[in-house]
């Protein structure tokens, strides 16, 4: 059992928000309140040490968590919010449908990302989000989707379902991998796959397999030139990057709430472009069918989608309204967002990226540049997810059993949590495997040093 350390030293005072008397925290504006987050004084967390910030998390002190790319560690305050809100609603169930719209929470999260409440949806996870987006696209037999083989299974499986059900065509490219990859290579490869029949460009903002941060804005501008709808798997964006989602220029971005954002399991986000802002995306809004909706009219059709910067209706509500929801998870996800804003998303991004560069350097020193699958030369493509082959023989990269054993032994013998990944490599007759580590705000250089030393010894033993 973990015991939560004292947290009063970094508490801030201010307005509270909630539904039917359930408060969430100190920064989100209350329904109908004129007092917003701007009136709240800066949190002490903005200047707190990273050692102090690490104490906010429910981390086992005997383990090293280097797998945030799969699931983050929740802060104690997020856990507390899940428990408190669950108990409050269980003790006095009232109207569960209005709160399930998460209107205030969506507005707050939207402000964090530079978008509006009508463009944000709180869903169960990134997998659900991307499925609802893909199956809501207005695609017909023969329409083409350009994507990559490095997409999450949830992306490729849902497009394949559309192929089998409706006869669309998938055109997949194999992205380059390795230390020397440059952004222009990826853009040129994708552009070469576009044909007059292409309707959708879909790709990951950060690939889970090699940790390549795709040149999102460049690819979206490419899509604009060809009149394509853009679907981005942004599962790893929240909590890692300090970004304005609208500036990407995408039509749809689906995100996880439980990875870098460290919210509860079973939380995710959908960004759906709901107005035409020419400087970010000049294309008309795509036809979109909001699946799993109790807001969609039972007769007739919604209004035509806007052609201006003023929304004609709230697409976020159409997607958010899906019956009852886990109210505690929505509140807890919002609390996680507040903590990040208190610490400073710009500050978090700098720390996470700096630590990743330190880890990348240590891995290169240990295993060599030739062992790296993640980009290193081009800073535009670097991310905190780093994939590599720790074994001496290059052909061991085809040996899945070795990587499963390597990751399992790190976990069971050394209490280091990592992951193995699998992906295609251009020109290779075999699928490749890699070990992958991920750095986050609660990790330290000492943990990186310890983990790399341990991996060197274990890989040498297994080689």
């Amino acid at each position: 059992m973990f015991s939560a350390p004292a947290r009063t030293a970094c508490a801030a005072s201010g307005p509270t928000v909630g539904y039917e008397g359930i408060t969430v925290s100190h920064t989100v504006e209350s329904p109908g309140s004129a007092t917003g987050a701007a009136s709240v004084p800066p949190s002490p967390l903005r200047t707190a040490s990273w050692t102090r910030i690490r104490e906010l998390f429910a981390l086992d002190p005997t383990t090293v968590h280097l797998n945030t790319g799969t699931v983050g560690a929740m802060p104690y305050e997020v856990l507390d919010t899940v428990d408190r809100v669950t108990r409050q609603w269980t003790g006095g169930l009232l109207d569960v449908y209005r709160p399930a719209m998460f209107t205030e929470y969506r507005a707050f999260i939207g402000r964090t990302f530079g978008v509006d409440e009508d463009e944000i949806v709180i869903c169960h996870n990134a997998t659900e989000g991307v499925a609802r987006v893909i199956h809501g696209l207005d695609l017909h037999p023969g329409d083409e989707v350009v994507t990559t083989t490095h997409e999450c299974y949830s992306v490729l499986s849902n497009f394949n379902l559309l192929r089998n059900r409706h006869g669309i065509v998938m055109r997949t490219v194999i992205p380059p991998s390795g230390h020397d990859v440059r952004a222009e290579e990826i853009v040129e490869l994708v552009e070469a796959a576009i044909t007059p029949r292409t309707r959708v460009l879909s790709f990951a903002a950060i690939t889970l397999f090699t940790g390549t941060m795709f040149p999102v804005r460049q690819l979206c501008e490419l899509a604009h030139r060809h009149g394509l709808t853009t679907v981005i798997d942004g599962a790893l964006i929240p909590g890692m990057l300090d970004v304005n989602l609208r500036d990407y220029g995408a039509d749809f971005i689906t995100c996880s709430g439980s990875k870098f954002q460290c919210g509860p399991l079973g939380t995710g986000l959908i960004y759906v472009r709901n107005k035409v802002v020419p400087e970010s995306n000049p294309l008309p809004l795509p036809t979109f069918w909001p699946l799993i909706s109790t807001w969609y009219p039972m007769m007739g059709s919604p209004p035509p989608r806007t052609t201006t910067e003023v929304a004609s209706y709230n697409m976020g509500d159409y997607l958010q309204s899906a019956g009852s929801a886990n109210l505690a998870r929505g509140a807890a996800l919002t609390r996680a967002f507040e903590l990040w804003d208190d610490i400073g998303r710009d500050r978090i991004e700098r720390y996470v990226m700096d630590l990743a560069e330190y880890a990348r350097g240590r891995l290169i020193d240990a295993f060599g540049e030739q062992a790296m699958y993640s980009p290193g030369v081009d800073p535009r493509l670097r991310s905190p997810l780093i994939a590599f082959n720790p074994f001496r023989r290059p052909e061991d990269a085809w040996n899945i059993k070795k990587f499963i054993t390597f990751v399992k032994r790190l976990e069971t013998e050394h209490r280091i949590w990592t992951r193995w990944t699998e992906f295609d490599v251009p020109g290779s007759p075999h699928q490749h495997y890699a070990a992958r580590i991920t750095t986050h705000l609660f990790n330290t250089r000492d943990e990186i040093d310890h983990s790399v030393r341990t991996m060197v010894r274990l890989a040498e033993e297994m080689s």
Side-chain angles (χ1 to χ4, degrees):
M1 289 288 291
F2 302 130
S3 58
R7 298 187 290 275
T8 55
C10 286
S13 60
T16 58
V17 66
Y19 298 99
E20 309 295 351
I22 294 177
T23 59
V24 177
S25 56
H26 61 271
T27 59
V28 181
E29 186 174 326
S30 300
S33 171
T35 305
S39 65
V40 179
S43 168
L45 289 175
R46 192 72 170 109
T47 55
S49 69
W50 293 107
T51 300
R52 172 68 185 93
I53 289 169
R54 179 184 170 91
E55 294 172 354
L56 302 175
F57 291 85
L59 288 164
D60 183 341
T62 69
T63 67
V64 178
H65 182 31
L66 295 176
N67 193 23
T68 299
T70 300
V71 63
M74 278 194 285
Y76 288 107
E77 291 191 29
V78 174
L79 284 166
D80 292 346
T81 301
V82 171
D83 181 68
R84 175 173 52 79
V85 175
T86 299
R87 291 177 183 277
Q88 286 177 308
W89 275 96
T90 301
L93 288 177
L94 299 170
D95 175 11
V96 298
Y97 297 110
R98 184 183 69 84
M101 295 298 286
F102 294 143
T103 304
E104 287 78 23
Y105 303 159
R106 288 161 49 206
F108 178 77
I109 291 171
R111 287 194 296 272
T112 293
F113 285 138
V115 300
D116 300 321
E117 175 265 337
D118 63 290
E119 301 169 302
I120 287 288
V121 182
I122 297 176
C123 58
H124 292 100
N125 50 47
T127 296
E128 180 205 282
V130 78
R132 292 175 70 180
V133 167
I134 288 173
H135 293 284
L137 299 173
D138 194 44
L139 295 177
H140 305 280
D143 287 346
E144 293 181 358
V145 173
V146 171
T147 187
T148 85
T149 62
H150 287 196
E151 303 308 307
C152 180
Y153 318 110
S154 59
V155 174
L156 296 177
S157 63
N158 278 289
F159 276 125
N160 187 49
L161 194 159
L162 281 188
R163 175 167 56 185
N164 294 335
R165 186 181 183 191
H166 295 307
I168 70 162
V169 176
M170 291 177 65
R171 295 176 61 85
T172 55
V173 300
I174 302 175
S177 56
H179 186 67
D180 297 327
V181 175
R182 298 191 65 82
E184 288 74 18
E185 297 177 58
I186 297 173
V187 176
E188 291 169 6
L189 189 68
V190 170
E191 186 166 23
I194 296 172
T195 78
R197 295 287 300 174
T198 305
R199 299 292 179 266
V200 175
L201 173 58
S202 178
F203 59 93
I206 303 106
T207 65
L208 70 93
F209 301 110
T210 64
T212 303
M213 187 179 296
F214 270 37
V216 177
R217 181 62 192 179
Q218 288 176 264
L219 289 172
C220 285
E221 289 176 346
L222 172 66
H224 300 165
R225 293 195 294 273
H226 290 273
L228 308 182
T229 298
T230 42
V231 177
I232 296 179
D233 173 10
L236 300 168
I237 291 175
M240 177 202 298
L241 302 178
D242 180 26
V243 295
N244 181 308
L245 294 182
R246 197 188 311 283
D247 287 349
Y248 279 142
D251 292 295
F252 304 95
I253 304 175
T254 58
C255 305
S256 171
S258 62
K259 297 182 186 293
F260 276 82
Q261 190 54 68
C262 296
L265 287 169
T267 55
L269 298 169
I270 304 172
Y271 163 71
V272 50
R273 185 168 70 104
N274 200 42
K275 55 208 70 170
V276 179
V277 181
E279 57 266 30
S280 62
N281 187 339
L283 297 180
L285 298 178
T287 299
F288 182 65
W289 304 93
L291 299 184
I292 316 178
S293 175
T294 58
W295 203 265
Y296 195 84
M298 290 182 285
M299 297 181 65
S301 302
R305 301 201 73 185
T306 186
T307 59
T308 73
E309 297 188 23
V310 179
S312 55
Y313 60 93
N314 190 323
M315 181 61 83
D317 281 354
Y318 276 62
L319 289 163
Q320 191 67 58
S321 180
S324 61
N326 189 317
L327 304 177
R329 290 181 186 175
L333 177 62
T334 306
R335 184 67 193 113
F337 265 79
E338 291 183 307
L339 282 173
W340 258 241
D341 290 351
D342 287 347
I343 297 167
R345 289 180 182 271
D346 56 339
R347 185 182 177 215
I348 292 170
E349 179 178 338
R350 286 194 302 272
Y351 180 84
V352 170
M353 293 298 187
D354 287 348
L355 188 60
E357 287 312 295
Y358 179 77
R360 196 185 318 275
R362 294 285 284 110
L363 290 169
I364 289 172
D365 289 343
F367 302 112
E369 288 184 1
Q370 76 284 350
M372 306 300 291
Y373 286 107
S374 300
V377 170
D378 190 340
R380 297 169 294 177
L381 304 183
R382 298 175 194 157
S383 86
L385 287 77
I386 308 170
F388 59 98
N389 176 10
F391 303 115
R392 281 195 305 236
R393 300 187 309 167
E395 59 266 32
D396 282 340
W398 310 333
N399 189 339
I400 184 174
K401 292 183 179 179
K402 263 198 166 181
F403 282 89
I404 292 174
T405 301
F406 182 76
V407 169
K408 189 65 175 177
R409 288 185 63 182
L410 284 173
E411 175 188 331
T412 57
E413 298 175 17
H414 304 284
R415 305 289 290 167
I416 299 172
W417 303 90
T418 61
R419 177 173 174 167
W420 61 269
T421 66
E422 55 185 339
F423 47 91
D424 296 326
V425 171
S428 174
H430 305 281
Q431 192 168 50
H432 284 226
Y433 300 90
R436 191 198 74 189
I437 67 169
T438 308
T439 60
H440 204 15
L441 76 168
F442 43 68
N443 295 125
T444 67
R445 290 194 174 199
D446 286 344
E447 287 183 329
I448 298 300
D449 291 340
H450 165 70
S451 298
V452 172
R453 287 194 300 267
T454 302
M455 288 188 283
V456 168
R457 291 195 300 268
L458 180 58
E460 186 65 26
E461 178 184 331
M462 293 180 63
S463 294

